[in-house]
């Protein structure tokens, strides 16, 4: 599906629908008249096949306790195998109501209070929250950025800090939000090898892996070196980011290692924890079965929005650094040469009228940056760029 067809068929107004992004601005931005480009969901309806499957299930009318449909495993495994060559097994699969909730469960399961847990910043801020809220010690290794805003891992720093701080667990974002990287198999091998040598377990958050915007190939941590590291890691992902289904509360925890799985199951039994939502599974299954064309429409729309923003901003202000978008629909922009980092937040909110994610939310390394959600209509993106450019002209006059 091309961009025009996708936008015409799927774009939807979300204001006044209890949307966090549109109707929940006040608590984070202290204003409710900003154009929202923050929370990572989209202004597009889920694939028609998913809506039809949900409608049918809802019309059945009984919502008693449910199993994971066999068709769900079949559809998800086929999707992962055909698109990325990932081999999965039913016994590895556990379900959650969200990836962040699973991250918190896994941090408490895989480490002890005060243990050190590492992240590579700038990174999705709930990673830091689940570490701190579980009373673990946060260890940060900053990614290295070149002058074009291309980010790589600092392996020497990671190795040194793993040793010095006795790190027990690393939470990896792959592909990486907010710096848009699809980590190559070589980069993942180098990192996973360091973790193995230092006896550091890994959680690989792969929720963005369907949102590939360039030619880079996505490699799951489960597939690196033909599965060599898979006993040392847990993968979390979900259909929710890909197909705009976050509120349907269905996510995956993939555990190949039988000992870790047994510990995970014991914890779940103890907590009497719920294992996802049938509506999330019905919608997810239909999307994996029939959502490929929808996804190509979303990707084309995001890429076109990205090119537009990049072109407009860097033509007017060549000193703005726009990071390459290999994956995710989240654009990472270094504004530090045009607006002083300490003025940036007020400038974006009060002068440009935008609600974005601010760089320092992702760690000190993000200071001076903004993250813009591109998974919205071209009309919203044009409005945002025009407000930003007028605000910059006024600000610099
Ligand atoms: C890396 C990453 N993990 C997890 C999530 C959220 O997942 P969930 O809504 O399933 O908790 C996001 C949302 O932006 C994300 O970027």
């Amino acid at each position: 599906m091309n961009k025009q067809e996708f936008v015409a068929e799927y774009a939807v107004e979300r204001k006044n629908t209890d949307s966090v992004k549109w109707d929940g601005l006040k608590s984070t931005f202290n204003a409710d008249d900003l154009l929202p480009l923050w929370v990572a969901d989209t202004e597009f309806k889920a694939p028609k096949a998913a809506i039809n499957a949900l409608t049918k299930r809802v019309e059945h009318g009984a919502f008693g306790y449910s199993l994971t449909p066999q068709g769900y495993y079949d559809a998800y495994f086929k999707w992962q195998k055909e698109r990325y060559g990932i081999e999965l097994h039913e016994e590895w699969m556990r379900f959650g109501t969200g990836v962040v909730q699973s991250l918190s469960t896994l941090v408490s399961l895989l480490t002890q209070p005060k243990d050190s847990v590492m992240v590579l910043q700038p990174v999705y801020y709930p990673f830091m929250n689940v570490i701190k809220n579980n009373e673990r010690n946060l260890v940060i290794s900053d990614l290295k950025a070149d002058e074009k805003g291309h980010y790589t891992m600092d392996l020497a720093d990671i190795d040194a800090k793993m040793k010095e701080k006795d790190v027990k667990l690393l939470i990896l974002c792959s592909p990486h939000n907010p710096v848009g990287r699809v980590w190559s198999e070589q980069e993942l091998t180098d990192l996973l090898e360091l973790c193995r040598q230092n006896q550091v377990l890994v959680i690989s958050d792969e929720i963005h892996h369907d949102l590939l915007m360039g030619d880079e190939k996505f490699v799951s941590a489960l597939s690196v070196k033909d599965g060599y590291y898979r006993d040392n890691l847990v993968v979390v992902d979900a259909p929710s980011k890909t197909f705009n289904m976050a509120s349907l509360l269905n996510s995956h925890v993939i555990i190949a290692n039988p000992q870790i799985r047994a510990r995970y199951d014991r914890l779940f039994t103890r907590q009497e924890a719920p294992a996802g939502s049938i509506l999330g599974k019905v919608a997810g299954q239909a999307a994996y079965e029939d959502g490929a064309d929808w996804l190509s429409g979303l990707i084309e729309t995001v890429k076109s929005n990205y090119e537009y923003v990049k072109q407009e901003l860097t033509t007017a202000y060549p000193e703005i650094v726009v990071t390459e978008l290999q994956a995710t629909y989240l654009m990472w922009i270094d504004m530090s040469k045009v607006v002083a980092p300490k003025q940036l937040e007020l400038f974006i909110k009060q002068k440009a009228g935008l609600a974005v994610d601010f760089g320092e939310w992702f760690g000190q390394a993000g200071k001076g940056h903004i993250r813009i959600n591109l998974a919205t209509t071209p009309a919203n993106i044009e409005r945002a760029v025009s407000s930003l450019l007028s605000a910059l002209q006024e600000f610099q006059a």
Side-chain angles (χ1 to χ4, degrees):
M1 184 177 289
N2 68 31
K3 170 183 141 185
Q4 281 72 22
E5 291 162 342
F6 180 77
V7 174
E9 191 167 348
Y10 286 105
V12 67
E13 173 63 54
R14 296 186 63 210
K15 205 167 165 55
N16 301 322
T17 64
D18 303 311
S19 142
V20 171
K21 189 198 252 172
W22 289 82
D23 303 316
L25 284 161
K26 188 101 191 176
S27 62
T28 303
F29 296 94
N30 200 25
D32 46 22
D33 55 350
L34 307 174
L35 178 61
L37 302 159
W38 59 309
V39 179
D41 60 19
T42 84
E43 274 63 77
F44 300 109
K45 292 185 195 178
K48 201 147 263 170
I51 297 170
N52 291 341
L54 276 175
T55 306
K56 194 162 158 232
R57 185 67 184 78
V58 167
E59 280 174 352
H60 176 254
F63 306 107
Y65 301 107
S66 305
L67 300 167
T68 297
Q70 185 56 44
Y72 187 90
Y73 291 106
D74 298 343
Y76 172 58
F77 288 6
K78 184 160 180 271
W79 177 272
Q80 294 293 77
K81 171 87 180 135
E82 285 180 358
R83 295 175 84 93
Y84 315 107
I86 306 171
E87 290 283 358
L88 294 166
H89 301 279
E90 259 178 57
E91 68 265 27
W92 295 0
M93 297 292 299
R94 298 294 179 270
F95 295 92
T97 53
V99 163
V100 175
Q101 172 251 322
S102 298
L103 289 174
S104 182
T105 304
L106 288 164
V107 165
S108 76
L109 179 74
L110 300 174
T111 61
Q112 300 298 319
K114 305 214 165 49
D115 277 356
S116 290
V117 182
M118 178 179 268
V119 296
L120 310 182
Q121 284 187 352
V123 77
Y124 181 56
Y125 35 92
F127 284 16
M128 281 70 92
N129 297 342
V130 298
I131 295 168
K132 290 186 194 152
N133 294 341
N134 280 295
E135 285 155 23
R136 271 55 174 174
N137 176 36
L138 174 67
V139 176
I140 296 162
S141 177
D142 284 338
L143 295 169
K144 293 190 287 193
D146 68 13
E147 72 286 352
K148 291 191 177 139
H150 178 79
Y151 286 78
T152 48
M153 299 176 192
D154 187 343
L155 291 171
D157 183 66
I158 293 170
D159 188 31
K161 285 184 176 147
M162 280 182 174
K163 292 188 164 71
E164 185 196 332
K165 308 277 182 190
D166 191 20
V167 170
K168 303 289 190 209
L169 178 70
L170 169 88
I171 311 182
L172 173 69
C173 198
S174 176
H176 193 104
N177 167 13
V179 306
R181 281 297 319 278
V182 175
W183 303 117
S184 69
E185 182 157 15
Q186 189 57 55
E187 287 172 300
L188 290 170
T189 306
D190 293 344
L191 179 70
L192 294 177
E193 183 54 30
L194 274 188
C195 292
R196 191 189 67 80
Q197 285 170 11
N198 289 301
Q199 295 180 301
V200 173
L201 285 169
V202 178
I203 303 172
S204 182
D205 178 342
E206 301 183 355
I207 196 170
H208 291 279
H209 80 275
D210 290 317
L211 298 161
L212 301 177
M213 300 296 153
D215 297 329
E216 293 75 18
K217 190 168 154 260
F218 168 73
V219 180
S220 169
L222 288 166
S223 314
V224 171
K225 271 178 94 182
D226 295 325
Y228 182 72
Y229 297 103
R230 72 181 181 215
D231 275 351
N232 197 45
L233 56 89
V234 175
V235 165
V236 285
D237 87 339
S240 54
K241 196 69 50 193
T242 311
F243 298 114
N244 205 22
M245 299 178 173
S247 278
L248 292 177
L249 303 180
N250 170 49
S251 63
H252 310 147
V253 181
I254 308 171
I255 314 177
N257 179 322
Q259 279 92 32
I260 299 180
R261 221 159 50 221
R263 284 170 59 200
Y264 183 89
D265 288 344
R266 279 199 295 278
L267 179 70
F268 255 65
T269 308
R270 204 158 67 232
Q271 293 183 333
E272 304 290 348
S277 131
I278 187 63
L279 294 183
K281 286 179 184 137
V282 165
Q285 177 181 332
Y288 286 131
E289 283 168 353
D290 289 316
D293 191 37
W294 179 98
L295 179 57
S296 58
L298 173 71
I299 288 175
E300 200 181 305
T301 306
V302 169
K303 280 161 92 163
S304 153
N305 285 345
Y306 172 80
E307 290 306 332
Y308 174 79
V309 178
K310 181 173 173 180
Q311 172 73 21
E312 294 290 310
L313 292 188
T314 56
T315 303
Y317 296 93
E319 37 320 9
I320 292 179
V321 182
V322 172
T323 286
E324 181 196 356
L325 192 70
Q326 296 181 349
T328 83
Y329 48 64
L330 307 163
M331 182 170 190
W332 186 240
I333 306 174
D334 181 355
M335 299 286 292
S336 61
K337 302 230 172 64
V338 287
V339 181
K342 58 177 186 312
Q343 290 177 293
L344 187 60
E345 188 166 335
L346 276 187
F347 168 80
I348 292 287
K349 290 195 293 198
Q350 293 181 356
K351 305 281 185 232
L354 304 178
V356 302
D357 281 35
F358 293 105
E360 60 264 38
W361 295 358
F362 302 84
Q364 272 308 305
K367 216 170 166 49
H369 292 70
I370 54 173
R371 192 197 75 173
I372 288 184
N373 182 340
L374 298 164
T376 192
T377 59
N380 278 341
I381 291 294
E382 281 160 30
R383 236 180 91 200
V385 166
S386 146
S387 308
L388 188 54
L389 287 178
S390 333
L392 279 169
Q393 273 152 22
E394 227 174 87
F395 183 73
Q396 303 211 323

